[in-house]
Amino acid sequence: MKKLVIIGASGHGKVVADIAVKNGYDEIVFLDDNEDIKECGGYPVVGKSNDAEYMDADIIVGIGNAKIRKRIQESVDEDKIIKLIHPKAVIASDVVIGTGTVVMAGVVINPGTNVGKGCILNTCSSVDHDCKVGDYVHIAVGSHLCGTVTVEDETWIGAGAIISNNIMVCRTCMVGAGAVVVKDIEVSGTYIGVPARKVNINNYSDIECVYI
Ligand SMILES: CC(C)(COP(=O)(O)OP(=O)(O)OC[C@H]1O[C@@H](n2cnc3c(N)ncnc32)[C@H](O)[C@@H]1OP(=O)(O)O)[C@@H](O)C(=O)NCCC(=O)NCCS
């Protein structure tokens, strides 16, 4: 038996469970701090996130919000945390991927790239050659990092966004869906549009308030 505990019973957790099955896990349970959620993707919710430390199983955090994902992953015994890679992801042989990271279907990661821990590389996103993706980064559905891009810790690259080659995006940024980033982003904040520009934080949710 190969047992996995997924912390976070959400739509994202459901996708994580599907990837786990494809990686040979035959017993899957969820933990979630919302007592009203009883199941996710057909798998039972058996307790709260704090229960993870008592469970004899591999663990992964399936929560979209970077700060919560980081807090929970760092509260769990690191030896139990796994990474999950969908069998239909295409990953160059020298790519380094940290623990707790989930790589979804259709993702392409090209040579020379490092991906940190606790990241989400979401469906059909791509990370080209020689990129550095920090910890707890989310590269959302269909977004693309061109070659030699750096994305620092806890930044969320929104769905369909493009980061042009040789660009750096600093930590704790929100790059909005469909944005095209053509200049380094050195100040944390929310960036939208083509080319991407910083928007007034008072008019937009910051990353801590945005959930998937
Ligand atoms: C940028 C973002 C975080 C802003 O969210 P928000 O603070 O809730 O902002 P709102 O939805 O209230 O929109 C505020 C304004 O910005 C505009 N706007 C929002 N997102 C935008 C985007 N990505 N590009 C261009 N304009 C955008 C809205 O049309 C609205 O304009 P208006 O005031 O003229 O009506 C969000 O829209 C976004 O892009 N999230 C990414 C979602 C995503 O990638 N999901 C992936 C899941 S895998």
Side-chain angles (χ1 to χ4, degrees):
M1 290 290 270
K2 215 174 154 194
K3 181 171 178 178
L4 180 66
V5 173
I6 303 172
I7 304 175
S10 63
H12 174 60
K14 199 182 290 186
V15 181
V16 172
D18 180 66
I19 300 171
V21 170
K22 290 176 168 63
N23 278 271
Y25 284 93
D26 42 19
E27 187 180 347
I28 295 171
V29 295
F30 279 90
L31 299 176
D32 200 289
D33 291 339
N34 182 346
E35 290 175 357
D36 295 336
I37 303 174
K38 304 293 182 203
E39 67 87 35
C40 183
Y43 302 100
V45 178
V46 298
K48 295 188 171 185
S49 55
N50 287 344
D51 298 329
E53 59 181 304
Y54 308 112
M55 299 183 77
D56 183 21
D58 292 341
I59 295 172
I60 196 148
V61 185
I63 294 174
N65 181 287
K67 289 198 185 324
I68 299 173
R69 191 164 70 254
K70 178 180 180 187
R71 176 171 52 76
I72 294 181
Q73 179 164 327
E74 291 184 350
S75 73
V76 171
D77 178 1
E78 205 178 344
D79 294 340
K80 289 184 171 180
I81 299 277
I82 57 146
K83 58 188 161 196
L84 279 177
I85 296 171
H86 193 286
K88 292 285 171 67
V90 178
I91 302 175
S93 52
D94 67 343
V95 168
V96 177
I97 297 176
T99 53
T101 287
V102 179
V103 179
M104 296 190 174
V107 168
V108 177
I109 312 178
N110 274 338
T113 283
N114 274 25
V115 178
K117 60 185 176 182
C119 294
I120 303 168
L121 271 59
N122 221 315
T123 312
C124 291
S125 62
S126 69
V127 180
D128 222 286
H129 65 87
D130 302 305
C131 288
K132 288 188 176 52
V133 177
D135 296 335
Y136 305 101
V137 166
H138 181 180
I139 310 292
V141 171
S143 60
H144 302 291
L145 309 189
C146 299
T148 326
V149 163
T150 297
V151 178
E152 293 186 340
D153 297 354
E154 294 170 51
T155 279
W156 178 1
I157 307 298
I162 293 172
I163 316 297
S164 191
N165 52 305
N166 308 316
I167 294 292
M168 189 276 300
V169 182
C170 73
R171 65 193 312 278
T172 61
C173 284
M174 169 79 238
V175 174
V180 177
V181 179
V182 295
K183 286 185 183 159
D184 287 354
I185 292 180
E186 293 172 343
V187 177
S188 176
T190 300
Y191 293 77
I192 61 169
V194 182
R197 297 193 194 286
K198 193 171 190 296
V199 286
N200 185 344
I201 204 74
N202 295 323
N203 293 334
Y204 293 82
S205 309
D206 83 7
I207 193 166
E208 289 188 74
C209 306
V210 179
Y211 297 84
I212 60 168

